[in-house]
């Protein structure tokens, strides 16, 4: 997104999904916004595809912490990506 912003361009949802293989990109965009990044979303009315534009970055990123821990839950492994598999 930074590279696209330098060119004055955005990054499409299809690029995020199929080129960079980011499956949960809306969640990642939400997290970046929570950390202080200003990201504008524009939806093409015909295709309904969304393009994301990085408008500014925070001087210092806000810490959003661990979503799981913020809800008072403990991780079985201490590794966020593997915890669900251990609980299954």
């Amino acid at each position: 997104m930074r590279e696209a912003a330098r060119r004055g361009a955005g990054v499409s949802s299809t690029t995020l999904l199929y080129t960079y293989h980011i499956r949960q990109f809306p969640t990642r965009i939400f997290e970046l916004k929570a950390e202080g990044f200003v990201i504008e979303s524009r939806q093409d009315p015909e295709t309904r595809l969304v393009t994301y534009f990085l408008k500014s970055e925070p001087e210092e990123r806000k810490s959003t912490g661990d979503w799981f821990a913020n809800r008072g839950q403990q991780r079985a492994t201490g590794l966020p990506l593997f915890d669900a598999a251990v609980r299954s």
Side-chain angles (χ1 to χ4, degrees), residues 45-64:
E46 291 180 22
T47 63
R48 301 189 66 192
L49 295 174
V50 177
T51 301
Y52 298 95
F53 296 86
L54 177 62
K55 295 299 183 178
S56 68
E57 296 186 41
E59 288 184 28
E60 188 173 318
R61 291 172 90 156
K62 299 174 189 170
S63 174
T64 56

Side-chain angles (χ1 to χ4, degrees), residues 25-55:
F25 62 86
T27 303
R28 303 293 83 82
I29 298 293
F30 176 83
E31 290 170 347
L32 287 170
K33 287 179 177 181
E35 291 179 11
F37 289 79
V38 177
I39 299 171
E40 184 180 299
S41 306
R42 296 184 200 158
Q43 186 176 37
D44 184 302
E46 291 180 22
T47 63
R48 301 189 66 192
L49 295 174
V50 177
T51 301
Y52 298 95
F53 296 86
L54 177 62
K55 295 299 183 178

